[in-house]
């Protein structure tokens, strides 16, 4: 599975349509292939006349989507291409490129001076998930229904039924719904409930965290929404993913909260 950040400039030579079409030079063709997951990015604002058309003047991410068909741009004299954008979901607020003084994207030492010049930047799954965790898009279903392989199996264990879902991708909406049905809408870290605080506007809102990310290389596998998924508020979800080289377990998160309470 491939993940890429694509830049949308305020002033551009391309006739792009946000969430529908993205034009790019041939050198990025190896990154923008059908099925690639993308995150939209805007750099620092240089022209204040665009302030009303942006979420922020600072560098930020503002949506996620998937690459559909990729075709050559017949109107280009430079052998450029364009990609169909599908499943576009804009963020309700900007996710800033820097969090706590550090960039979310991992910049190679050899690219410190020119990394941000690239309009298309491949990232790993951990970086992609870190950006998603900071956004309000917590039910991104990056595959078509026809690509899902959901199965239910019931086994008896000490007189109780056990429900197991099997799926190709962990972001399946049915798994999310089942996890919420099992765990509820209270954050399993701090206990926060959005409906209790925000009323009807916050009803049904919660992040779902997968305790076994696909990045471990297992590929297709069984996912049990009772044991492999937990529900968290965005704050707790961000804390779990805060360090690039370590993802906290729920027990570790609860210990942090307990220690803070005792102090």
């Amino acid at each position: 599975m491939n993940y890429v950040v694509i830049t949308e400039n305020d002033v551009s030579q391309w006739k792009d349509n946000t969430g529908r079409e993205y034009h790019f030079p041939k050198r990025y063709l190896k990154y923008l292939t059908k099925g690639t997951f993308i995150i939209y990015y805007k750099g620092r604002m240089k022209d204040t006349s665009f302030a009303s058309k942006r979420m922020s003047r600072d560098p930020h991410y503002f949506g996620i989507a998937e690459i559909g068909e990729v075709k050559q741009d017949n109107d280009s004299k430079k052998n450029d291409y364009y990609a169909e954008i599908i499943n576009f979901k804009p963020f309700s607020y900007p996710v800033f490129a820097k969090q706590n003084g550090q960039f979310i994207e991992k910049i190679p030492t050899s690219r410190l001076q020119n990394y941000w010049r690239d309009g298309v930047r491949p990232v790993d799954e951990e970086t992609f998930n870190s950006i998603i965790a900071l956004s309000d898009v917590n039910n991104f279903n990056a595959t078509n229904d026809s690509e899902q392989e959901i199965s239910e199996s019931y086994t008896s264990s000490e007189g109780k039924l056990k429900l197991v879902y099997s799926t190709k991708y962990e972001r399946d909406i049915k798994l999310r719904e089942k996890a919420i049905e099992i765990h509820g809408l209270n954050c399993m870290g701090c206990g926060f409930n959005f409906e209790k605080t925000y009323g009807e506007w916050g009803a049904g809102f919660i992040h779902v965290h997968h305790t076994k990310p696909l990045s471990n290389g297992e590929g297709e596998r069984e996912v049990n929404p009772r044991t492999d998924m937990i529900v968290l508020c965005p704050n707790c979800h961000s804390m779990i993913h805060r360090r690039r080289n370590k993802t906290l377990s729920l027990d570790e998160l609860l210990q942090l909260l307990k220690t803070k309470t005792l102090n």
Side-chain angles (χ1 to χ4, degrees):
M1 221 170 272
N2 299 319
Y3 305 90
V4 169
V5 171
I6 62 173
T7 300
E8 183 179 271
N9 296 316
D10 292 329
V11 179
S12 174
Q13 61 175 312
W14 311 107
K15 296 180 180 179
D16 291 334
N17 190 334
T18 305
R20 298 184 64 182
E21 194 171 271
Y22 186 77
H23 293 74
F24 57 92
K26 184 180 179 180
R27 66 179 181 274
Y28 294 138
L29 191 59
K30 59 183 177 180
Y31 301 132
L32 298 177
T33 57
K34 186 175 182 179
T36 295
F37 297 162
I38 61 173
I39 294 182
Y40 271 93
Y41 167 86
K42 275 187 179 293
R44 189 174 302 280
M45 186 176 69
K46 298 180 180 179
D47 186 340
T48 56
S49 65
F50 288 95
S52 62
K53 300 179 181 179
R54 298 170 53 112
M55 285 185 169
S56 172
R57 300 185 176 202
D58 295 321
H60 65 280
Y61 309 99
F62 64 94
I64 55 177
E66 186 179 353
I67 296 294
E69 298 297 330
V70 178
K71 300 179 181 179
Q72 190 165 2
D73 187 352
N74 295 325
D75 295 330
S76 171
K77 298 179 181 180
K78 299 180 180 180
N79 196 26
D80 297 320
Y81 286 76
Y82 69 93
E84 174 193 19
I85 305 297
I86 60 176
N87 295 330
F88 175 61
K89 289 194 176 184
F91 300 161
S92 296
Y93 51 82
V95 173
F96 295 107
K98 262 190 175 182
Q99 300 287 327
N100 300 310
Q102 293 186 332
F103 288 111
I104 301 178
E105 292 183 52
K106 304 169 185 176
I107 306 175
T109 304
S110 60
R111 299 290 315 282
L112 291 176
Q113 300 301 319
N114 58 3
Y115 179 79
W116 300 101
R117 295 178 184 176
D118 289 340
V120 176
R121 303 186 295 271
V123 295
D124 58 21
E125 185 182 21
E126 182 181 8
T127 300
F128 180 88
N129 286 337
S130 294
I131 296 172
I132 298 298
L134 292 168
S135 76
D136 62 327
V137 178
N138 62 338
N139 63 343
F140 181 54
N141 183 14
T143 61
N144 296 323
D145 290 340
S146 60
E147 293 176 311
Q148 299 297 323
E149 293 184 0
I150 308 295
S151 64
E152 298 181 9
S153 62
Y154 292 87
T155 58
S156 177
S157 175
E158 298 179 348
K160 297 180 180 180
L161 293 178
K162 179 182 179 182
L163 173 62
V164 177
Y165 273 70
S166 176
T167 181
K168 280 186 177 180
Y169 306 102
E170 65 176 22
R171 291 185 188 87
D172 176 56
I173 188 63
K174 293 182 180 179
L175 280 174
R176 167 183 160 77
E177 292 172 350
K178 179 58 65 175
I180 292 176
E181 178 184 326
I182 293 170
H183 300 298
L185 291 165
N186 291 334
C187 174
M188 295 172 69
C190 66
F192 187 85
N193 181 287
F194 282 88
E195 184 174 9
K196 289 180 180 178
T197 301
Y198 298 104
E200 184 179 353
W201 186 261
F205 184 83
I206 197 70
H207 280 199
V208 173
H209 170 71
H210 297 263
T211 59
K212 298 179 180 179
L214 287 177
S215 56
N216 59 17
E218 292 181 11
E220 183 178 352
R221 61 152 191 258
E222 286 190 343
V223 177
N224 187 329
R226 183 179 298 280
T227 59
D228 299 337
M229 305 170 78
I230 58 177
V231 296
L232 297 168
C233 70
N235 282 347
C236 287
H237 202 178
S238 296
M239 288 298 99
I240 274 183
H241 288 287
R242 189 182 180 199
R243 303 298 186 204
R244 295 177 178 176
N245 60 349
K246 178 177 175 60
T247 299
L248 295 180
S249 67
L250 178 58
D251 286 341
E252 289 172 322
L253 176 68
L254 291 172
Q255 185 59 42
L256 288 177
L257 291 167
K258 180 180 179 181
T259 301
K260 179 62 178 177
T261 301
L262 292 175
N263 291 337

